[in-house]
Amino acid sequence: MSAKATVKEYMTREVQTVSPSDTVADVARRIVESDGHNGFPVCEGRKVEGFVTARDILLEDEETTIDSVMATDLIVAHPEMDVNDAARVILRSGIQKLPVVDDAGNLVGIISNTDVIRSQIERATPEKVGKLMRTLEQIHGITVHQERGTVSLSDLIPTQARVYADELEGRKYELERGLAEPLVVIDNNGAVLLADGHHRVCAADRVGIETMDAYVIVIDDPIELGMQRTAEKEGLSSIADIDIVDYARHPLVERTQRLQ
């Protein structure tokens, strides 16, 4: 990915639209039948004429046509727009989705607040991976390389003994919406150590997910790692050995409450 992430890298290209001549009843039915949609771009051909949401049609007569209730003062994005700029627009305007139009004004996609969050996650995680790689090389005098792939949760060796139950719901929410960061694991001669993502893994295990996307740091010349020795000492050989603490809240929550 280029240093400048653009809207076209994260937008959804297959966009559901409605017509200006559709009725309130038509759109209400589409919203009910859709998977989480609460509004649609209103298009004549490929040209965006407006946007209609569930709020726009609330209390309107069923036979009212959409062109009389849709919003026409639109904010749109361009495919080459910096995704950070799109994030600012979404945040400041309070809207959840931006239609994406090309130079001719044709609809080519849509970008949502969820897409923007995903873009930030995908750029933050590689920085974390790079820092861990440099630390391993400097401390142990070794060389490592990075791969991207899918790992089986059953193969993971935890390096953290406990997770907090109250945080698992948030991780489950992220997993269901495709917002979870990839895991960070270390492959040391076939031993796959989980370096980052213990809450995500436990949440995934609870909902029956068996594999997850991961950044894999491969140690070129296998050595004995301190984190591996610690895991063995604490009896951690699989994610089933991670203790889910449900009698205490996450330390961050506790500190926040003490400050209130």
Side-chain angles (χ1 to χ4, degrees), residues 73-109:
D73 186 15
L74 291 183
I75 302 175
V76 298
H78 188 275
E80 300 299 332
M81 185 178 187
D82 189 321
V83 76
N84 287 332
D85 292 334
R88 292 187 187 96
V89 172
I90 289 174
L91 177 64
R92 292 171 183 171
S93 66
I95 60 179
Q96 295 184 344
K97 297 178 180 179
L98 287 178
V100 183
V101 300
D102 62 16
D103 292 332
N106 295 319
L107 182 71
V108 294

Side-chain angles (χ1 to χ4, degrees), residues 204-221:
D205 185 55
R206 279 191 166 189
V207 297
I209 295 174
E210 297 181 351
T211 61
M212 292 183 72
D213 189 26
Y215 289 93
V216 183
I217 299 173
V218 181
I219 297 179
D220 296 325
D221 296 306

Side-chain angles (χ1 to χ4, degrees), residues 156-165 167-168 171 193-202 227-228 230-232 234-245 250-251:
L156 297 177
I157 300 172
T159 58
Q160 179 176 315
R162 61 188 56 83
V163 297
Y164 293 89
E167 194 169 333
L168 295 185
R171 296 297 178 262
L193 303 166
L194 178 60
D196 182 77
H198 288 76
H199 281 90
R200 272 165 277 157
V201 161
C202 289
M227 65 173 68
Q228 197 166 352
T230 301
E232 291 173 359
E234 295 192 17
L236 300 174
S237 60
S238 73
I239 59 175
D241 299 319
I242 301 174
D243 184 21
I244 298 177
V245 181
H250 193 286

Side-chain angles (χ1 to χ4, degrees), residues 14 57 81 87 92 116 125 148 182 184 212 220 241 260:
E14 298 297 324
I57 64 175
M81 185 178 187
R92 292 171 183 171
V116 167
T125 307
R148 184 74 181 265
V184 180
M212 292 183 72
D220 296 325
D241 299 319
Q260 291 176 346

